[in-house]
Amino acid sequence: MQHDNRGCGLNGNALIRQKKGLISRHTVKLGLHFTRVGDQYQGEWMEKILLVEDSKSFSAVLSRTIAVEWNLEVVTAYSLKETRQALQQHRGTLVLAIIDLNLPDAPDGEAVDVVLAEGIPGIVFTAQLNDALRDTILRKGVADYVLKQGAYNIAYVVNIVGRLLKNRQIYTLVVSGDEEKRNQIGRWLRVQNLQVLDAATGSDGLALLKREPRIEVVIVDYGIEDIPSFPLISRIRESYSAEELAIIGISDVNDRNVGVHFVKSGANDVLVYPFPPEEMHCRVNRSLELIEHFYRLKELNEQKNKLMGMAAHDIRGPVGNMSVASRMLRSDKISAEKREELFDIINHASEDLMRLLSELLDVSAIESGKLRLNKTDFDMGELIEKRVRFYQTAAEQKDIVLNTALIDQCEVHGDAGRLAQVIDNLISNAIKYSGRDTAVTISLAREEGRVTVSIEDEGVGIPDVEANKLFDAYSHISSVPTAGESSTGLGLAICKSIIHEHQGVIGLKSPRAQGCHFFFSLSVAV
């Protein structure tokens, strides 16, 4: 690999960023939407969030919203006593906490102190705010604080939870000749869960950028001596675009010309020092969100191109078969048996085309936010029985036994047609990836106001390292259907979107070398 010597050879570093997979890291799903694949519904979560809130109704709404959005378990506590118990019981798995500042048995923020003492980043909820209270909250070292005022603040909390979780993988660089300033800004950034590097000179800063490809935000102080701030920013910009690396200039000089010079040199943003920590938090996090949006748009464009190629490939086969079969049908020299066979070819090809077009339309509706649900109350057990009967013939052709373990009178509130689509996909996949003389078990269970549908097979299984790609659109894994059946790679992504629209959870339990156990869970009808 050749390096461009300009800017300390940082162009080579840009290639390293691509090789290390940073583009995929910017996919905002926590699967970033962060779909965690594993024993999530059985409570064997590797990472959990603690919610300390004395209002049980408010706690239920917020915990459910966070769980659905980020697919993480939320541990709830309603008092200081329960907070201590939760910290002890879940020690080592709690990665973030949302804490009510005033509890009946902890009116002065004692719960915040207890949580932060465990080294867990905290977001504070408070019913009121003034300058003195704000200073008290910030001195405690919380990542953020939120007022209990309306639906916007719930949305804000959900967003900041995702931001703080994603920040753990991100490095920032502070370049300043002022040690006190570097230390202060570093403390503020670490509170945001960011990894922080610092440099006293521009040369050291360039060297760190070359060595650490995970840096995504660089904060440059005005007045650096060895390489002045503006030339330093220009040299960085030779290797990194504004879309992949954010540069924020800071200055003690309240002079518009300095700010203009920062921006003209290539900075994304400018702050006048001193500034409150919240302002830096906001500017840095917003810069990171813009970078993520850039990579997300780039990824979507690549997916669009991949989809067009895949659609052209998948359409060519059925259309070609129909074309050949229709030409052969024009001949007077074919037997009745052959004619029937050609009609079957045309029929199967048209069904394949309709299936592909339906999935493409579903993906288009999902990605444009136009997926609409027609919700009614219906019995989930009856729906499953209908779908199992539909797939009985396909299973028998491979000598696969479809077993059911259902409960009676299990009503849910949802779109029966869309949920049937999810069940169909999971059952057809189980049949598709299972060999002869095996069994597929479809079960239905209800517990604590939730209903869980499980589909277990004895098929080829999924490699552990590929499990996290299952619910991504356009993804393909190394496991192949046992009888050469076709697959677009869109089905599970559509299932995930349908279940999430129902405020439910879908996943794979215990990835293993042989056989799969998929599940989805929903709330029962109220």
Side-chain angles (χ1 to χ4, degrees):
M1 178 175 63
Q2 293 184 340
H3 291 263
D4 188 331
N5 290 325
R6 296 173 299 167
C8 285
L10 293 177
N11 286 326
N13 201 28
L15 294 175
I16 294 173
R17 290 168 65 86
Q18 294 178 358
K19 288 180 180 293
K20 290 203 174 185
L22 295 193
I23 290 177
S24 62
R25 178 160 63 79
H26 282 286
T27 303
V28 186
K29 2 174 182 163
L30 274 174
L32 224 105
H33 285 327
F34 278 148
T35 299
R36 296 189 66 80
V37 181
D39 280 334
Q40 27 185 277
Y41 196 64
Q42 291 181 344
E44 297 178 10
W45 301 69
M46 294 300 293
E47 295 184 339
K48 304 173 186 178
I49 293 176
L50 174 63
L51 173 57
V52 181
E53 167 60 52
D54 61 329
S55 169
K56 293 189 176 182
S57 58
F58 182 70
S59 176
V61 171
L62 183 57
S63 62
R64 183 70 194 136
T65 305
I66 291 172
V68 169
E69 181 66 22
W70 300 122
N71 265 347
L72 289 170
E73 181 182 0
V74 179
V75 177
T76 55
Y78 307 109
S79 65
L80 178 60
K81 179 181 178 181
E82 291 185 10
T83 300
R84 288 195 171 103
Q85 292 172 344
L87 288 170
Q88 182 175 0
Q89 181 180 353
H90 300 280
R91 183 166 281 123
T93 62
L94 294 170
V95 294
L96 192 63
I98 304 165
I99 318 145
D100 191 348
L101 187 63
N102 305 116
L103 298 172
D105 60 343
D108 298 316
E110 292 90 341
V112 178
D113 298 330
V114 167
V115 172
L116 296 182
E118 294 285 329
I120 301 170
I123 303 168
V124 167
F125 257 130
T126 178
Q128 56 183 356
L129 187 69
N130 54 52
D131 290 343
L133 185 58
R134 171 187 167 274
D135 291 340
T136 299
I137 292 172
L138 291 177
R139 278 198 301 271
K140 289 179 181 292
V142 301
D144 208 343
Y145 57 87
V146 186
L147 287 169
K148 290 183 179 178
Q149 293 178 354
Y152 163 77
N153 291 291
I154 292 180
Y156 179 84
V157 169
V158 174
N159 181 68
I160 197 65
V161 163
R163 180 72 269 153
L164 292 173
L165 292 174
K166 287 180 278 189
N167 281 357
R168 295 176 297 172
Q169 306 175 56
I170 297 171
Y171 278 67
T172 57
L173 172 62
V174 182
V175 185
S176 173
D178 186 332
E179 183 178 5
E180 182 179 349
K181 192 182 296 183
R182 290 200 310 272
N183 291 338
Q184 182 184 60
I185 293 174
R187 287 194 299 270
W188 290 348
L189 294 174
R190 289 185 185 93
V191 163
Q192 293 298 296
N193 257 6
L194 291 159
Q195 307 297 318
V196 182
L197 302 173
D198 63 57
T201 66
S203 299
D204 289 344
L206 290 173
L208 282 170
L209 264 174
K210 183 178 181 180
R211 189 164 66 244
E212 180 48 75
R214 289 172 292 179
I215 295 172
E216 297 189 25
V217 177
V218 179
I219 296 169
V220 179
D221 192 10
Y222 179 65
I224 301 171
E225 294 184 359
D226 67 326
I227 304 178
S229 308
F230 307 139
L232 174 63
I233 292 172
S234 296
R235 288 179 66 173
I236 295 173
R237 278 288 172 249
E238 290 177 4
S239 304
Y240 297 106
S241 69
E243 291 81 12
E244 65 177 345
L245 180 74
I247 301 176
I248 300 176
I250 59 174
S251 172
D252 297 356
V253 182
N254 191 7
D255 184 339
R256 289 185 179 180
N257 291 329
V258 173
V260 169
H261 209 153
F262 263 122
V263 173
K264 291 298 183 181
S265 298
N268 301 71
D269 206 346
V270 183
L271 285 167
V272 178
Y273 192 86
F275 40 78
E278 302 101 313
E279 186 171 6
M280 168 150 284
H281 297 166
C282 179
R283 302 287 183 94
V284 170
N285 286 332
R286 289 292 169 85
S287 294
L288 291 171
E289 288 172 2
L290 288 173
I291 292 172
E292 286 170 354
H293 290 325
F294 166 74
Y295 280 104
R296 179 58 177 157
L297 288 172
K298 185 174 182 178
E299 183 184 48
L300 288 173
N301 187 57
E302 291 172 354
Q303 290 179 352
K304 178 202 70 176
N305 294 335
K306 185 176 180 179
L307 175 62
M308 291 176 65
M310 181 195 72
H313 177 271
D314 287 356
I315 289 172
R316 187 183 294 115
V319 170
N321 289 339
M322 287 191 290
S323 178
V324 171
S326 61
R327 284 200 303 270
M328 293 179 68
L329 283 171
R330 292 179 180 274
S331 172
D332 296 330
K333 299 178 181 180
I334 59 174
S335 64
E337 183 180 356
K338 184 64 175 177
R339 190 178 298 276
E340 196 66 29
E341 182 183 331
L342 292 172
F343 279 126
D344 285 341
I345 290 173
I346 293 174
N347 183 58
H348 290 317
S350 63
E351 288 177 353
D352 286 343
L353 274 178
M354 286 303 297
R355 175 182 54 81
L356 175 62
L357 292 174
S358 295
E359 289 189 345
L360 292 176
L361 289 172
D362 280 341
V363 168
S364 176
I366 289 165
E367 292 191 346
S368 64
K370 295 179 180 178
L371 181 66
R372 297 290 180 262
L373 301 180
N374 180 24
K375 292 186 175 182
T376 59
D377 289 349
F378 66 92
D379 189 285
M380 180 62 80
E382 291 181 0
L383 178 64
I384 292 173
E385 286 180 339
K386 289 179 182 178
R387 304 324 301 161
V388 170
R389 285 197 297 270
F390 181 81
Y391 282 97
Q392 198 69 52
T393 301
E396 289 173 355
Q397 289 176 351
K398 295 180 72 172
D399 296 322
I400 294 172
V401 177
L402 296 183
N403 297 320
T404 58
L406 310 178
I407 58 175
D408 295 328
Q409 296 181 337
C410 187
E411 279 208 343
V412 300
H413 183 71
D415 188 323
R418 287 294 186 181
L419 291 173
Q421 187 178 352
V422 174
I423 296 168
D424 284 357
N425 190 278
L426 296 179
I427 295 177
S428 65
N429 277 352
I431 295 172
K432 188 183 300 181
Y433 290 93
S434 294
R436 292 189 175 278
D437 299 315
T438 58
V440 173
T441 301
I442 303 97
S443 59
L444 175 64
R446 180 174 53 203
E447 184 179 4
E448 296 181 355
R450 295 188 67 77
V451 55
T452 302
V453 178
S454 298
I455 293 88
E456 277 191 89
D457 64 58
E458 300 170 353
V460 296
I462 296 166
D464 204 9
V465 294
E466 297 181 354
N468 62 343
K469 300 191 300 183
L470 279 173
F471 294 93
D472 296 345
Y474 321 105
S475 66
H476 287 276
I477 59 175
S478 58
S479 302
V480 295
T482 55
E485 297 97 330
S486 62
S487 174
T488 63
L490 298 174
L492 288 177
I494 294 170
C495 290
K496 182 185 75 173
S497 295
I498 291 172
I499 296 300
H500 281 187
E501 286 294 322
H502 282 82
Q503 306 298 297
V505 177
I506 187 169
L508 171 71
K509 293 184 180 179
S510 301
R512 54 203 185 207
Q514 186 171 2
C516 291
H517 182 170
F518 284 91
F519 76 94
F520 67 87
S521 66
L522 308 167
S523 297
V524 298
V526 179

